[in-house]
Amino acid sequence: YGGLQIMGLLETRNLDFRHILMLSVNEGMLPKQANDTSFIPYHLRESFGLTTAKHKIAVYAFYFYRLLQRAERITFMYNIATDGVSKNEISRFLLQLLAETDFNIKTTFLQSNQSTIAPEKITVEKSYEILEILINNYDSKREWSRALSPSAINTYIDCPLKFYFQQVAGIRIPKDPQEGMDAALFGTTFHEAAELIYKKLCERGNHILKSDLEELLENHEAALRPYIDNAFIKVFFDGKPEKAFYNGELLIARKVISSYLKQLLRYDATLEDLCIESMEQEYYRVTPVSAGNRQVDIKLGGKIDRLDTVMMADDVTGTPIKTLRVVDYKTGGSPETKKIEMETLFKSHKQRPSYIFQTFLYSWVISEIMDMPVSPALFYVHRSNTEDYDPTVSFDGEKVKDFRKIKKDFKEGLDGVLSEIFNPEIPFTQTTVSEKCSYCDYKCLC
């Protein structure tokens, strides 16, 4: 009279139960869907008295009704939800009970209502401990401080909470162990190959001769292959030449990088008096920021892809002026075509020009070091094969040939963002621009 037994239908033969709970009483489950895998046709089986699907169903019907014979209370459960293209149906045995018996049958439908739960907003207050972490990270007077990079500031403008996860909490996303070359590795490999080429060209001086560029282009891929292979060994094969093996994907990537390098060399061959000042070198500036009741000196800057000097025509007089260019290589994306205003650089929105902010910040750093015209340039390598291509960044409808003209306005906007980052009264909050969340590494945390 006590206990619970979990049994299959065939195990219940010749056993009686007072209470029965039968699950999955669906057509196809009870009776079982009959699959006659036999070389003997159905009519021959029927004529000679062999087992057929009808006989199997009849056996299941006997077991079913035999089980119910002396039970006091029986509960059947079945599922009528649609599953893909197939629809679940109640077993024919239950339909027969409903149609042919006068049992006291009670039918109940259970349905789970699924409602979308709105995620709770996450806000991280800047406690004393968090503010100390920020100051320790970026105060130039602290021993282990680092520079607040343009990418970190871009992250804060786009989503303060992501900045907290990344720069304060130190939650790092592990590298994807999948094999192959993603966009980031491809870009890094191109940067490395370009640096190797121009370091070789600068061995006799930083002035780049047009004849040297044309010689590399005339020898086609054979002249560029050693630089590309060395870049792959350093970036992709962990500095181990013995591991260098190019599968189909890497062969294609190597071919594309070679094509991009040719486009870069062709463009540089059109420039007059090109001088390479530095490649992949770090530049920093210190600026004071208020952090509550304290004044801290924050180090800003990072690694600039290329710093060079060229002759650029003055917009008014047309006179060639020696100009220092801050060049940032891009192997993906598209140049900004809309008119850029200063406010758009410091406000989060769907298509915020973060690349332009990055080159402007580097231009501000350089303009503080060198007293000469500074021009920011975004070199989209994959789009540089047109005759009139010009990587110079446009701002407010005009090419920026002397960053000093807009330096003051940019510094005001930058100071506003920095004071917000280090203001203990302003917490780290989630972005209101949902498009920023699509490919965010911290999406699951929110």
Side-chain angles (χ1 to χ4, degrees):
Y1 294 99
L4 174 70
Q5 287 181 291
I6 301 176
M7 310 176 74
L9 183 63
L10 300 183
E11 296 171 298
T12 65
R13 291 171 291 187
N14 295 329
L15 297 177
D16 295 328
F17 302 92
R18 293 178 62 190
H19 306 296
I20 297 173
L21 170 61
M22 191 177 294
L23 307 178
S24 301
V25 192
N26 281 82
E27 189 66 23
M29 297 292 290
L30 188 69
K32 279 281 188 182
Q33 188 172 0
N35 293 318
D36 283 331
T37 53
S38 172
F39 289 108
I40 304 175
Y42 171 81
H43 294 293
L44 282 179
R45 298 180 69 88
E46 191 176 37
S47 298
F48 286 92
L50 300 177
T51 302
T52 62
K54 287 183 179 180
H55 179 262
K56 293 178 181 178
I57 292 172
V59 170
Y60 269 99
F62 171 78
Y63 293 151
F64 176 76
Y65 287 107
R66 169 64 188 78
L67 176 62
L68 309 185
Q69 185 174 359
R70 295 183 177 87
E72 298 177 5
R73 187 180 67 195
I74 309 170
T75 302
F76 298 109
M77 299 187 70
Y78 56 91
N79 178 25
I80 58 172
T82 302
D83 183 16
V85 295
S86 61
K87 183 179 180 181
N88 292 314
E89 296 181 359
I90 187 174
S91 169
R92 68 184 75 177
F93 295 163
L94 297 188
L95 291 175
Q96 190 173 15
L97 286 177
L98 290 169
E100 298 181 356
T101 67
D102 56 356
F103 297 150
N104 182 21
I105 298 176
K106 180 181 178 182
T107 304
T108 303
F109 290 93
L110 302 177
Q111 184 174 1
S112 60
N113 294 321
Q114 297 181 352
S115 59
T116 304
I117 300 175
E120 295 183 5
K121 291 185 178 181
I122 302 175
T123 300
V124 179
E125 300 291 339
K126 286 181 190 154
S127 62
Y128 175 81
E129 291 78 10
I130 289 177
L131 195 61
E132 276 298 305
I133 293 174
L134 274 172
I135 294 173
N136 283 329
N137 284 347
Y138 305 114
D139 186 357
S140 60
K141 297 176 182 177
R142 303 293 175 98
E143 183 179 359
W144 303 108
S145 66
R146 61 178 185 267
L148 186 59
S149 66
S151 60
I153 300 175
N154 271 327
T155 299
Y156 180 85
I157 296 172
D158 290 336
C159 179
L161 185 64
K162 182 178 179 180
F163 176 89
Y164 168 77
F165 287 146
Q166 191 179 81
Q167 304 296 325
V168 182
I171 302 174
R172 301 296 178 184
I173 305 303
K175 290 184 179 180
D176 190 348
Q178 65 181 3
E179 296 181 357
M181 174 166 281
D182 58 14
L185 270 176
F186 179 88
T188 304
T189 308
F190 171 83
H191 280 67
E192 180 66 24
E195 181 184 3
L196 292 174
I197 290 173
Y198 281 91
K199 278 185 176 179
K200 182 66 176 178
L201 292 173
C202 291
E203 284 182 349
R204 292 177 295 180
N206 65 343
H207 187 266
I208 303 300
L209 299 177
K210 187 176 181 179
S211 58
D212 290 341
L213 297 174
E214 290 175 344
E215 184 180 349
L216 281 173
L217 290 169
E218 286 174 3
N219 291 325
H220 301 292
E221 196 170 338
L224 302 177
R225 179 65 60 80
Y227 304 105
I228 299 173
D229 288 343
N230 286 333
F232 266 95
I233 290 171
K234 180 178 179 180
V235 175
F236 195 82
F237 297 112
D238 301 323
K240 300 176 181 177
E242 66 275 8
K243 292 176 61 178
F245 172 75
Y246 295 90
N247 56 21
E249 182 186 7
L250 294 184
L251 287 172
I252 294 173
R254 186 168 64 173
K255 190 77 174 177
V256 174
I257 288 176
S258 175
S259 173
Y260 283 3
L261 289 171
K262 290 176 186 176
Q263 290 177 208
L264 174 62
L265 294 171
R266 288 193 192 100
Y267 174 80
D268 285 346
T270 65
L271 300 175
E272 296 293 335
D273 294 326
L274 172 63
C275 292
I276 302 296
E277 301 298 329
S278 67
M279 296 282 293
E280 304 293 339
Q281 188 170 324
E282 297 180 344
Y283 292 90
Y284 305 106
R285 288 296 296 168
V286 173
T287 186
V289 178
S290 177
N293 56 0
R294 287 179 286 177
Q295 192 84 359
V296 293
D297 293 326
I298 301 303
K299 187 163 65 172
L300 298 174
K303 185 183 290 185
I304 298 177
D305 292 347
R306 172 170 139 183
L307 203 60
D308 62 29
T309 56
V310 295
M311 301 301 292
M312 300 184 74
D314 183 83
D315 291 331
V316 179
T317 64
T319 306
I321 300 174
K322 188 176 182 180
T323 305
L324 191 64
R325 291 196 314 167
V326 176
V327 182
D328 193 8
Y329 298 132
K330 297 298 177 188
T331 55
S334 302
E336 185 63 52
T337 56
K338 296 181 180 179
K339 187 177 180 180
I340 302 300
E341 297 177 351
M342 193 62 70
E343 185 181 0
T344 61
L345 297 177
F346 300 97
K347 298 292 183 182
S348 178
H349 56 88
K350 184 178 178 180
Q351 294 180 329
R352 179 178 158 270
S354 57
Y355 289 164
I356 293 179
F357 173 85
Q358 179 173 322
T359 54
F360 275 17
L361 182 59
Y362 286 140
S363 298
W364 170 77
V365 171
I366 295 299
S367 66
E368 291 286 299
I369 300 172
M370 302 181 184
D371 186 19
M372 63 183 299
V374 176
S375 177
L378 282 171
F379 196 93
Y380 290 89
V381 190
H382 55 300
R383 298 179 178 272
S384 63
N385 56 352
T386 57
E387 292 184 5
D388 59 344
Y389 180 74
D390 186 359
T392 307
V393 173
S394 294
F395 178 77
D396 203 15
E398 297 180 359
K399 297 288 185 180
V400 182
K401 296 182 179 180
D402 191 349
F403 182 78
R404 293 176 297 183
K405 296 178 181 179
I406 59 174
K407 175 180 173 180
K408 181 179 177 182
D409 293 338
F410 178 79
K411 185 60 167 60
E412 288 179 359
L414 179 62
D415 286 342
V417 174
L418 293 176
S419 62
E420 186 177 310
I421 292 176
F422 290 90
N423 188 341
E425 303 298 324
I426 301 178
F428 295 108
T429 56
Q430 292 169 299
T431 181
T432 57
V433 184
S434 58
E435 288 80 6
K436 299 292 182 183
C437 304
S438 301
Y439 301 100
C440 178
D441 292 330
Y442 306 95
K443 186 177 179 180
C444 294
L445 293 179
C446 293

